[in-house]
């Protein structure tokens, strides 16, 4: 799990149903953690959820833990590649949520080399959402 304060990007889910939101996360992280095999989340942050879910054509294991920051999820691939995402609560107003996501992405993607010139940045969870 990431050290406190270190994230690779941000995610603003549309609902508190982690299993339902999983396909969007898998698609956004396709280049960084392909194929997605597990997602670790804080048990007290998310409501009851299935232990496995479908994302694209894969089955993904959802692992609820209490040893991680409650404001993050960690996506893992089968080769132990991992991406830590800051989770912006669903009820956060649009402008504030987008500012938090931009800040998380700018710091995290550069830290891992994903934002260097000549490399395509992974899509943000807000791509395609209307500005508020």
């Amino acid at each position: 799990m990431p050290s406190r304060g270190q994230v690779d990007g941000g995610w603003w889910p549309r609902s508190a149903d982690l299993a339902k939101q999983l396909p969007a996360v898998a698609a956004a992280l396709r280049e960084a953690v392909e194929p997605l095999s597990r997602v670790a989340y804080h048990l007290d942050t998310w409501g009851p959820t299935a232990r496995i879910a479908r994302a694209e054509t894969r089955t993904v294991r959802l692992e609820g833990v209490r040893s991680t920051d409650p404001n993050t999820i960690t996506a893992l691939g089968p080769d132990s590649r991992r991406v830590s995402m800051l989770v912006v609560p669903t009820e956060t107003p649009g402008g504030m949520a987008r500012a938090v996501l931009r800040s998380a992405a700018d710091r995290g993607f550069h830290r891992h080399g994903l934002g260097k010139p000549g490399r395509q940045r992974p899509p943000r969870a807000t791509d395609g959402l209307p500005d508020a």
Side-chain angles (χ1 to χ4, degrees):
M1 296 295 159
S3 301
R4 188 168 184 87
Q6 295 181 345
V7 294
D8 300 302
W11 178 41
W12 184 24
R14 295 176 187 252
S15 79
D17 183 340
L18 183 57
K20 185 177 178 180
Q21 297 296 302
L22 192 61
V25 171
L29 297 177
R30 186 174 292 127
E31 290 183 34
V33 190
E34 168 102 326
L36 180 63
S37 63
R38 294 183 293 154
V39 173
Y41 64 95
H42 197 280
L43 283 167
D44 296 332
T45 301
W46 297 89
T49 191
R51 295 185 63 116
I52 60 170
R54 296 291 295 173
E56 298 174 338
T57 61
R58 303 217 20 116
T59 299
V60 178
R61 194 169 63 188
L62 302 176
E63 299 176 349
V65 296
R66 287 197 170 87
S67 61
T68 187
D69 186 313
N71 299 308
T72 64
I73 63 166
T74 302
L76 298 105
D79 60 355
S80 298
R81 290 179 71 185
R82 63 180 56 213
V83 173
S84 177
M85 303 289 287
L86 174 68
V87 178
V88 179
T90 57
E91 67 275 4
T92 304
M96 181 182 298
R98 278 186 286 282
V100 170
L101 290 170
R102 277 190 297 274
S103 177
D106 288 345
R107 282 181 275 153
F109 290 154
H110 287 289
R111 179 171 59 89
H112 286 280
L114 295 172
K116 290 182 179 176
R119 295 187 117 174
Q120 182 180 6
R121 73 160 174 87
R124 291 185 188 139
T126 57
D127 284 350
L129 294 179
D131 289 333

